[in-house]
Every structure is written in C-alpha cells, then in structure tokens.
Amino acid sequence: MRLNYETTGPDDAPVLLLGSSLGTTHAMWAPQLDVLSQRFRVIAFDHRGHGDSEAPDGPYTIEDLGGDVVELLNELLIERASYVGISLGGAVGLWLAENAPDRFHRFALLCPPAYPSAGAQMWTDRAAQVRAEGTKAITEATLSRWFLPEYAESHPAEVDTIRQQLLTTSPEGYASCCEALGAMDLRPALADITAPVLLVTAESDASIPPETVIPLATQIPGAHLEILESAAHLVTYSHPTQINNLLLTHLT
C-alpha cells in the first residue's frame, strides 16, 4: 500500500521521516518544517486511512502501519533514515525501532502510546462511533484533550487547522487505526531497542498521560526523556520552539 507524502529540504541531506497523530495529515508538521528542512531531507507522510493515502477496509494493525513506512523507504530507495512521530506516529515509531532497527538511525517519539492505557474497549467503542457518525462525532472532544484552554483561546486559527484535518479524515481510516491502537502492546520488546531514542511527554496530556510515557524511558536502553510543563497532547503546535530545539539536538 502506497502512502502519500511530501518532501522538503535538500535532496542530498540525511533523510528524516515524520509520522503524524491520529486523525491528522502530514500538514500538521508545519511548525517544524522550516527548521528541520534546513538540516534534513524531510519526508512527511500520511498514515494509511489518513490524508491522501489509501483507506482500505480495516481493521488495521500496528504491524500494517509500521510496514507501510518500511515500504515507503523501499519505494524511495532509502537505505536508512531517522524518524519523528507523535501520538499514533509515535506508536509506529516504537514498532519500527523494535522491528526494523537496520533501517533507522535515531527516533524522536512525542507523546507515544505503547499500549492502550485506557483499555482496548475504549478504542473499540470509538471506532464504532466514528464508523456510525463520522469523525465529527469526536472532533471537539479530541481538540479539548489536545490543547490547553488558554492555547485554544489565543490560537484559534491553529486549532481550526487541526479541526479541519480531523473532520476530513476517512471514517474507516480513523476507526481502523483506533483498532490498531487498541490491539497493540509494544512493551515486551522495548528492551531490545538499540537506536538512540528521545521521548517527550506533556505534563497535562489527557490523551497519552505522562505516567504511561515516563516508564518507557527506563525500559528503552539509553532513552532520553523530556517532560514539557503547561502542555497538552499536541506539543508540536503549542511548544514549537522547545520541540524544534529538542529535535535538532537529538537528531544532529
């Protein structure tokens, strides 16, 4: 299955893949692209079922989503790359670190779920709701978890950008990715990860609570952990300067 992607930066620079959050497209990386594209050949892609990538009938598995990224590397004849992922993209990054270590140099994983901390049933229920009612049924609740109220009030245009991405995501694609998140547990192989890993969690993240991310730093050998204060889930938007500095420091 071919993924939609956008490439920026010099053709001869080291390759960096960007994997986005559930219900968003590669366009969510706008706050990072200018900075990262000065140092890297950046390939921002849409997960299957998202953006302009194909949305086959689900359910999907985390193996499907991770395998799509490996196939994208093969398609583009890229031997190795580094990877940055947030939320769903972070889970995909964990799978890649465990299952395709020879294809990646470094990983930066922002608010990554390693298992369904709220229980698999929550994801099953959300998948059923979106299939029945569309992504509009979950959009406003999602935004309230992703942004602190003060950020949402002072940055309405940025919040609306993400709102529109959620509203236009394929219901089947979104629901099938929910099922992938509900069925995965990446914890057993964390100790086998060999690549350098940066973990970032947000102090007020209601989607992927910090208490589910912080333990990963002791389970992944050599992982570096950063906890952002006064931050909710979508740290790439609310804290772009901090995130960009962390990424450049880790990736270069």
Side-chain angles (χ1 to χ4, degrees), residues 24-38:
T24 67
T25 74
H26 69 277
M28 69 149 288
W29 294 103
Q32 282 68 54
L33 276 185
D34 286 348
V35 171
L36 294 178
S37 296
Q38 295 177 32

Side-chain angles (χ1 to χ4, degrees), residues 136-150:
K136 65 182 182 297
I138 52 84
T139 292
E140 296 308 316
T142 298
L143 294 172
S144 71
R145 293 192 301 273
W146 284 9
F147 299 107
L148 293 179
E150 53 267 33

Side-chain angles (χ1 to χ4, degrees), residues 11-89:
D11 289 341
D12 59 349
V15 177
L16 177 63
L17 297 182
L18 303 181
S20 52
S21 182
L22 177 65
T24 67
T25 74
H26 69 277
M28 69 149 288
W29 294 103
Q32 282 68 54
L33 276 185
D34 286 348
V35 171
L36 294 178
S37 296
Q38 295 177 32
R39 300 282 193 93
F40 299 96
R41 177 189 172 194
V42 178
I43 300 172
F45 65 89
D46 296 333
H47 299 289
R48 66 165 64 191
H50 288 65
D52 290 326
S53 291
E54 297 175 18
D57 290 341
Y60 309 156
T61 66
I62 194 66
E63 291 81 8
D64 292 330
L65 299 172
D68 290 342
V69 177
V70 174
E71 287 304 314
L72 178 61
L73 290 178
N74 294 339
E75 174 190 341
L76 298 176
L77 303 178
I78 294 169
E79 187 71 24
R80 297 187 77 188
S82 290
Y83 181 95
V84 178
I86 184 169
S87 191
L88 173 63

Side-chain angles (χ1 to χ4, degrees), residues 142-194:
T142 298
L143 294 172
S144 71
R145 293 192 301 273
W146 284 9
F147 299 107
L148 293 179
E150 53 267 33
Y151 178 87
E153 291 169 10
S154 60
H155 296 79
E158 287 83 353
V159 174
D160 192 58
T161 294
I162 300 300
R163 176 183 287 110
Q164 295 308 314
Q165 292 180 29
L166 286 163
L167 289 172
T168 54
T169 295
S170 157
E172 178 61 26
Y174 185 100
S176 297
C177 285
C178 285
E179 290 163 335
L181 290 169
M184 74 177 189
D185 189 346
L186 299 169
R187 291 173 294 180
L190 292 176
D192 298 330
I193 293 175
T194 57

